[in-house]
Amino acid sequence: MADSTARKVTANIALTLDGRYRGPGGPADIGAIVRYATTEVARDHLTRIWEGATTALLGRLNAEGFLGYWPTVAEDESADPRDRGYAKWLVDAEKVVLSTTLTRAPWERSRIVNAPAADVIAELKSTGEGDILVNSSASVIKALLAADLIDRLYLLVCPEIAGGGERLFDDGLPASRWRLTRQETGELGEVAVVYDRVR
């Protein structure tokens, strides 16, 4: 059996200054974030998030949304090489999709799991190698923050206040301390940061 502490659990997400991953208009309201996602800093940050990862852990909404976009980027020779690198990684990586409703895996090299995120992480950590990347799936990240199972956070902080919408850091999370291990500021004022959990 593999060492259950060898695999790090990492998570990436973009947030507004008021800590929201979407605006007041619902799941499609990412207007306060989208313009910052294609900057030089954001694209370099995107490359860092997947370099050590071998497994992508996704919620259903992201799994289905990503399927409609990233495979075409992987095939697009005119796409930015950083976007293409991430897209190829995502297509080729093991993908675990958390869902209570899907009956068929939406991607190749993917499987559906109907179980709490903490249980899925325990299973993944006991097998395989490489980081487990929780890939922009806020519901999964929230569950793992609540269970204190995230080892590294990759955040892209966008210089806008959404004023409404869902926040990543809900009240009631266990207290935790984090060490800043990387910080880079982009031309639009976006800040890419990497925080490691201090244990």
Side-chain angles (χ1 to χ4, degrees):
M1 190 177 215
D3 176 1
S4 67
T5 60
R7 301 191 80 181
K8 277 196 306 211
V9 180
T10 67
N12 78 290
I13 198 161
L15 299 173
T16 60
L17 286 179
D18 51 344
R20 302 176 197 276
Y21 54 91
R22 60 175 61 129
D29 186 356
I30 56 170
I33 289 168
V34 73
R35 69 185 294 239
Y36 305 98
T38 56
T39 66
E40 292 299 305
V41 162
R43 283 187 159 126
D44 289 344
H45 186 65
L46 182 68
T47 299
R48 279 192 291 279
I49 70 171
W50 62 266
E51 284 179 323
T54 56
T55 301
L57 182 58
L58 300 158
R60 177 187 62 82
L61 285 175
N62 269 13
E64 292 179 329
F66 286 2
L67 180 60
Y69 180 71
W70 287 110
T72 60
V73 176
E75 300 299 320
D76 182 359
E77 292 186 12
S78 66
D80 184 285
R82 293 162 294 187
D83 293 354
R84 201 161 178 221
Y86 167 75
K88 285 181 173 180
W89 171 82
L90 187 59
V91 168
D92 293 340
E94 172 193 29
K95 289 167 286 294
V96 178
V97 180
L98 297 183
S99 176
T100 58
T101 57
L102 286 178
T103 55
R104 203 168 60 81
W107 290 69
E108 285 184 29
R109 288 178 286 289
S110 68
R111 61 188 168 104
I112 307 296
V113 180
N114 181 358
D119 294 352
V120 175
I121 288 295
E123 183 260 322
L124 288 171
K125 287 187 84 164
S126 70
T127 59
E129 295 177 347
D131 293 348
I132 302 159
L133 172 63
V134 186
N135 206 349
S136 296
S137 295
S139 62
V140 181
I141 296 171
K142 286 181 176 194
L144 295 177
L145 284 170
D148 195 17
L149 289 174
I150 294 181
D151 302 305
R152 172 172 284 176
L153 280 170
Y154 294 93
L155 302 176
L156 181 69
V157 181
C158 304
E160 296 197 19
I161 293 173
E166 294 185 64
R167 281 197 172 99
L168 182 65
F169 301 108
D170 292 328
D171 287 347
L173 289 174
S176 57
R177 197 157 55 89
W178 298 78
R179 181 177 63 252
L180 180 67
T181 56
R182 187 177 182 104
Q183 174 183 334
E184 198 174 353
T185 304
E187 67 261 24
L188 300 177
E190 74 283 7
V191 183
V193 291
V194 181
Y195 284 108
D196 285 338
R197 176 73 171 94
V198 177
R199 298 197 188 275

